[in-house]
Amino acid sequence: MSQQALKGHLDMLVLAVLADGPKHGYAVIDALRDRSDEAFDLPEGTVYPALHRLERAGLLRSEWSEVQGRRRRTYHLTDAGTTGLATRAAEWQRFVASVGDVIGRSGPWPASA
Amino acid sequence: MSQQALKGHLDMLVLAVLADGPKHGYAVIDALRDRSDEAFDLPEGTVYPALHRLERAGLLRSEWSEVQGRRRRTYHLTDAGTTGLATRAAEWQRFVASVGDVIGRSGPWPASA
DNA sequence: CTCTATGCATAGATTCACTAGGTATGAGTC
DNA sequence: GACTCATACCTAGTGAATCTATGCATAGAG
């Protein structure tokens, strides 16, 4: 996968896995890898700053906890995060449709699942 | 549309419009706008550097001509450009499928055309 | 003559994922 | 006990690539 393919779409992916339920950072990374069948195996240096950015933007909130001697910061979507995800997902689908128009796709995408 | 959505995908789009036939830079911009129904209305400062980059990479070649007193640089795909487009289009579809897996798409995309 | 569209170009700003490092705990191995 | 690995957090700096802003030049319309 191209190194820049994610640009501008990472926030949506993070919001999407958190829409399933609160998770701490490391679990977000695992969820992205599992759900994408290894396609999105993101380094911590990518995901942690994204989480901080989304919290600063008000789309996430977090609480600290301690589980078996390890500090965890668990993130959950705010209301703004929920609507933000919906907005980004809609934009994504328009983007995909536009790219399809340009590259000349005719039929529906092959199902992956 | 997000400002960064194109990151890493612009090359594919440029190659796609040139796969339809040789075009000069300004015409590439027009083709992208027309084919995407205005969604991709890209500034010259985006497209010209992309064309130069693709030519340096050997995916495009260009010739100068003069039409009605205006200098034109017309680009066409090389063989590497044709295969490069196929590669990028395949990667794009895998990327779209992976994003779909993460954000929980179930059915096929709604047809846009 | 001015303004717009056409047609090319580049320099600098900006965004954002990634690389590379750092800290710390728990569990398993030798 | 020492070592290694997985878990779990963090940030500074790099790099790639699009966008903003600007410049030059010609043709045509008003």
Side-chain angles (χ1 to χ4, degrees):
Chain A
M1 167 131 37
S2 157
Q3 302 299 328
Q4 274 75 32
L6 276 179
K7 277 276 163 110
H9 307 295
L10 174 62
D11 289 359
M12 173 181 62
L13 297 175
V14 169
L15 293 173
V17 299
L18 286 172
D20 238 33
K23 285 175 186 60
H24 61 285
Y26 213 79
V28 168
I29 293 173
D30 284 342
L32 285 169
R33 184 175 47 241
D34 292 347
R35 285 219 220 173
S36 68
D37 195 26
E38 317 286 318
F40 300 138
D41 193 1
L42 305 180
E44 303 173 5
T46 293
V47 175
Y48 286 122
L51 289 167
H52 300 164
R53 188 167 61 235
L54 289 167
E55 184 166 27
R56 267 201 312 279
L59 304 183
L60 299 181
R61 206 152 308 177
S62 67
E63 303 92 32
W64 283 100
S65 59
E66 182 142 349
V67 178
Q68 294 182 334
R70 289 196 187 90
R71 287 166 76 242
R72 279 185 178 174
R73 191 159 159 184
T74 301
Y75 293 89
H76 60 93
L77 288 185
T78 62
D79 287 349
T82 302
T83 59
L85 170 58
T87 302
R88 282 164 175 76
E91 262 178 33
W92 164 252
Q93 299 217 1
R94 279 197 300 278
F95 177 67
V96 171
S98 295
V99 171
D101 287 342
V102 171
I103 67 178
R105 166 181 64 82
S106 51
W109 294 103
S112 66
Chain B
M1 167 129 38
S2 157
Q3 303 298 328
Q4 275 74 32
L6 277 178
K7 279 276 165 107
H9 308 294
L10 175 62
D11 288 0
M12 173 182 62
L13 297 175
V14 169
L15 292 173
V17 301
L18 286 172
D20 238 33
K23 285 174 186 59
H24 61 285
Y26 213 78
V28 169
I29 294 174
D30 285 342
L32 286 170
R33 185 174 48 240
D34 292 348
R35 286 219 220 172
S36 68
D37 195 26
E38 317 285 318
F40 300 138
D41 193 1
L42 305 179
E44 303 173 5
T46 294
V47 175
Y48 286 122
L51 290 167
H52 301 164
R53 189 168 59 235
L54 289 167
E55 185 166 27
R56 269 200 312 278
L59 305 183
L60 299 180
R61 206 151 308 177
S62 67
E63 303 91 32
W64 284 100
S65 60
E66 181 143 347
V67 178
Q68 293 184 333
R70 290 196 187 93
R71 288 165 76 241
R72 279 185 178 173
R73 191 161 160 183
T74 300
Y75 293 88
H76 60 93
L77 288 187
T78 61
D79 287 348
T82 302
T83 59
L85 170 57
T87 301
R88 281 164 176 74
E91 262 177 35
W92 164 251
Q93 299 216 1
R94 279 197 301 276
F95 178 67
V96 170
S98 295
V99 171
D101 287 342
V102 171
I103 66 177
R105 166 181 64 80
S106 51
W109 295 103
S112 65

